[in-house]
Amino acid sequence: MNRKNSDGLKLTLQELRNDILGIDTRVPLLDGTERPYVFLDNGASTPTFGRVLQCISSFLPWYSGVHRGTGFKSLLATEIFDRTHDVVARFVGADTSHNMVVFTKNTTECVNKLSNRFGFSPGDLVITTGMEHHSNDLPWRKNAEVLHVGTSADGTLDLDELQSAIHRFKGRLKLVAVSGASNITGTCPPIHDIAGWAHDAGAAAFVDAAQLAPHRQINMLPDDDRCHIDFLALSAHKMYAPFGIGVLVGPIDFFEQGEPDMVGGGVVDVVAFDEVIWKHAPHKDEAGSPNVVGAVALAESISILQSVGMETIAQHEQSLLQYAYDRLKRMDKVRLYGPTHDLRNKVGVMPFTVEGMHHALVAAILSAEGGIGVRNGFFCAQPYVKKLLGVTREEEREAGCGIGDSDRTSTPGMVRASLGCYSNESDIDLFIEMLEKIVRREYKGTYTQDSSTGAFHPDGYRMDLNKYFSFFEDAGHVKDRSYSEAS
Ligand SMILES: Cc1ncc(COP(=O)(O)O)c(C=O)c1O
């Protein structure tokens, strides 16, 4: 059966919400009842669009390995896979006559690839910021000298400091790497201005768009524009298509030069015992059998987002954010971090702590008594979160979160609620209602902290996972897990 993708379709925000897989999924509460899950952890990973699932189910009968097969299915899958590159490139406004998309597995892999492929020489400098996810910080530290530009008291980037650092290090500076939106405070730095400053200093500009791409229209701008963004990365699992694909966009010339960072099948034209000739980009940088299904899923998800319109999505999320902050700001026992007044340059990420309560306890109660999924901890941005919390190195050591510590009872952190394009006022109402109860200490359960993970568990609450999704015989209940911090 021939199935068209969602190109040309028009969807409303409500239709978009209805299309979210699991929007009505009921989860168990501590009191034995169930209620529809309130998903406020979109900053980590989003649920899936039903249309994405339909699209890949229609594609899978045609699925075949790409690029090397001669059968009909392989030819069809190859054509589709190659085209998905252009769909993604156009989504971020890249000029495809000079730029291309390389598929990876996520943003982390993109930044590592860019860092490995950049060809840094000793003494070369990368300027990044103090508000980055570890994935836009550690890969640079591996291959270059790194300067972290600071943030102001409200968590926004210190633009004066950034501009003057870029100017000061002209010559040594090779790249300026900033996130398009912070995964902690949602702050969106002015990426085009920053790219312009980088170019004036002879450096390139990279934008980590993992948090920006699901929420705002991105335009990398034409290559001859001073404010053009040279490189950009994003992850499909934050864009309603969690099938293991990431995207690195950059100049074709860049990917054509040098050796790939990962070698093996798929990247070579000729291999002799004494010679290797690499394929052309992007194949050269997509080692092994690529994630064709993931690419199809992302392209479909992009069509769906565009069928509502990124502008409509941005306005909707903005008004929800305002709605949430109007209420959060009235809760004097709730401390908010990052900008709370002018929300225009901020995506829907709301970090907070509750006075006198451990962040992990707040998150545990929201889940066990409210059916609300949030996240707590450092969110893979330890330097930024510690700065926002005002935690010094000494306090950090005393709190027991230093290297090798086994007692995590006092590890600092925050709680983060984050919105998606399908979130609505009712999600916010349920969240605020439960948070108000927590602040008033009107929650019902007794919670015990696991000192090795720092997590709180409600006493007498044994989640029967098999009732909801049975896969492994022995996965019937939640075992104590070691503390794994995800984004
Ligand atoms: C701003 C930012 N950058 C990078 C990443 C890493 O993305 P991934 O886990 O998909 O590699 C995340 C994930 O949360 C993020 O929020």
Side-chain angles (χ1 to χ4, degrees), residues 151-158 185 187 336-340 342 384 388:
T151 48
S152 311
D154 69 351
T156 52
L157 192 53
D158 186 334
T185 55
T187 309
L336 303 168
Y337 302 87
T340 55
D342 186 351
Y384 189 38
L388 288 165

Side-chain angles (χ1 to χ4, degrees), residues 43 106-108 133 135 181 183 208 210-211 235 237-238 487:
N106 52 35
T107 300
T108 305
H133 188 282
S135 293
N183 65 316
D208 166 358
Q211 291 294 336
S235 290
H237 71 92
K238 295 183 195 289
S487 47

Side-chain angles (χ1 to χ4, degrees), residues 163-375:
Q163 194 173 7
S164 73
I166 291 174
H167 187 67
R168 192 163 68 250
F169 289 103
K170 187 172 176 168
R172 272 185 69 199
L173 178 63
K174 295 294 178 262
L175 185 79
V176 178
V178 291
S179 45
S182 157
N183 65 316
I184 309 300
T185 55
T187 309
C188 302
I191 49 176
H192 290 295
D193 291 344
I194 295 170
W197 303 336
H199 295 148
D200 291 347
F206 165 71
V207 171
D208 166 358
Q211 291 294 336
L212 187 66
H215 307 290
R216 294 283 187 280
Q217 180 71 59
I218 295 177
N219 189 348
M220 292 178 74
L221 296 177
D223 289 33
D224 57 4
D225 192 307
R226 175 179 157 270
C227 298
H228 160 70
I229 289 157
D230 303 277
F231 300 96
L232 182 135
L234 57 86
S235 290
H237 71 92
K238 295 183 195 289
M239 297 176 62
Y240 315 96
F243 296 91
I245 200 148
V247 172
L248 177 61
V249 193
I252 298 171
D253 289 352
F254 173 87
F255 293 116
E256 288 292 359
Q257 55 81 42
E259 300 204 350
D261 63 332
M262 190 182 283
V263 295
V267 300
V268 277
D269 258 341
V270 178
V271 181
F273 285 118
D274 55 357
E275 191 187 16
V276 173
I277 300 178
W278 307 114
K279 272 196 171 151
H280 287 294
H283 312 302
K284 188 182 159 187
D285 272 289
E286 293 177 344
S289 303
N291 181 357
V292 182
V293 175
V296 171
L298 175 59
E300 175 67 355
S301 169
I302 286 173
S303 293
I304 293 165
L305 291 169
Q306 287 175 328
S307 72
V308 179
M310 291 309 290
E311 192 51 43
T312 306
I313 288 172
Q315 280 170 14
H316 167 66
E317 292 182 10
Q318 203 64 34
S319 67
L320 270 188
L321 196 62
Q322 190 67 57
Y323 180 75
Y325 271 107
D326 285 348
R327 300 182 62 183
L328 283 168
K329 280 193 288 188
R330 290 204 293 267
M331 300 171 74
D332 55 2
K333 297 275 189 297
V334 172
R335 176 152 181 225
L336 303 168
Y337 302 87
T340 55
H341 292 286
D342 186 351
L343 304 175
R344 278 171 302 178
N345 288 322
K346 175 177 161 82
V347 298
V349 186
M350 299 172 277
F352 64 93
T353 49
V354 174
E355 201 178 287
M357 287 184 79
H358 195 288
H359 51 98
L361 176 58
V362 175
I365 302 170
L366 283 167
S367 171
E369 301 189 32
I372 299 163
V374 294
R375 186 161 290 244

